DNA sequence: GTGATATATGAATACGTGATCATATATTCA
DNA sequence: TGAATATATGATCACGTATTCATATATCAC
């Protein structure tokens, strides 16, 4: 557990970085990209085809995800292979899903998924 | 652990809800409000003063946070007291911080906080 | 009831941003 | 080298949204 007293309002820089992280996650295209990468690493055009979007749109979004340290790239020939930067992203996702799906309707851990 | 195979691209509705949740978290004002509420429940004008913002701006944002089920309200006299909806929010924050602060540089759980 | 206080809300505006189009860069192969 | 393929990038536009201002609603004290 982290110490949330350290999250006091004085630490504005960290809070802005946190908001920035969530802002990057707050777009359905980027979420779908990350989901695609949860399964396995992929090239740009593969992702574009998976999501039925243009290569350009995906490339632009991958740039955003890379800047946020959420994905990493490796060149393989003329392809850029993108992957989740670490398993961290999965954990953030997991908590988000718990909220969205109301696994914890109000309090208590008795899952009624 | 959740099953991330269930996060396949077919489940677009859930993915959009997830993006919506993160979008709400992706604003520094709302993050600061939630942080203020991490400490204790508070009235609107208290929050406004804490963040040096207008009552109106805070009220508008609290509405967004309420719609996202991130905060709940109780009336006490003429004051509306806002609080985190559940401890869930803290957990989501925690994961976000872990990423921002790079507590896990690449992999492994050995915290070098 | 009136006045004071606390919050909510609607309209307007300024700003950020996601997708598109055209084009540039990079890599492989002949 | 030149053609083909894969990706990156800059400009533009349309749209969403955070804040402000003015005002409405609600609650308490009298």
């Amino acid at each position: 557990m982290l110490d949330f007293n350290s999250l006091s309002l004085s630490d504005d820089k960290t809070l802005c970085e946190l908001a920035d992280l969530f802002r990057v996650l707050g777009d359905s295209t980027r979420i779908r990209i990350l989901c695609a990468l949860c399964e396995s690493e992929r090239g740009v055009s593969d992702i574009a085809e998976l999501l039925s979007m243009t290569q350009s749109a995906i490339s632009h979004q991958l740039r955003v995800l890379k800047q946020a340290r959420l994905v990493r790239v490796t060149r393989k020939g003329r392809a850029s292979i993108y992957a989740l930067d670490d398993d961290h992203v999965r954990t953030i996702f997991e908590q988000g899903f718990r909220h969205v799906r109301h696994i914890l309707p109000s309090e208590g851990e008795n899952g009624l998924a």
Side-chain angles (χ1 to χ4, degrees), chain A residues 2 7 16 26 33-34 38-39 58 62 64 76 83-84 87 97:
Chain A
L2 286 179
L7 304 193
C16 281
I33 291 175
L34 291 174
C38 270
E39 200 176 318
I58 299 301
L62 282 169
V64 175
K76 272 180 188 166
L84 295 188
D87 277 339
F97 267 98

Side-chain angles (χ1 to χ4, degrees), chain A residues 20-58:
Chain A
D20 288 341
L21 168 65
F22 287 131
R23 181 179 300 119
V24 171
L25 293 172
D27 175 81
S28 62
T29 296
R30 288 190 289 266
I31 286 286
R32 292 196 302 158
I33 291 175
L34 291 174
C35 263
L37 297 183
C38 270
E39 200 176 318
S40 76
E41 57 181 28
R42 286 174 151 79
V44 179
S45 46
D46 287 352
I47 301 174
E49 194 174 0
L50 259 172
L51 307 197
S52 302
M53 293 183 63
T54 66
Q55 171 267 320
S56 179
I58 299 301

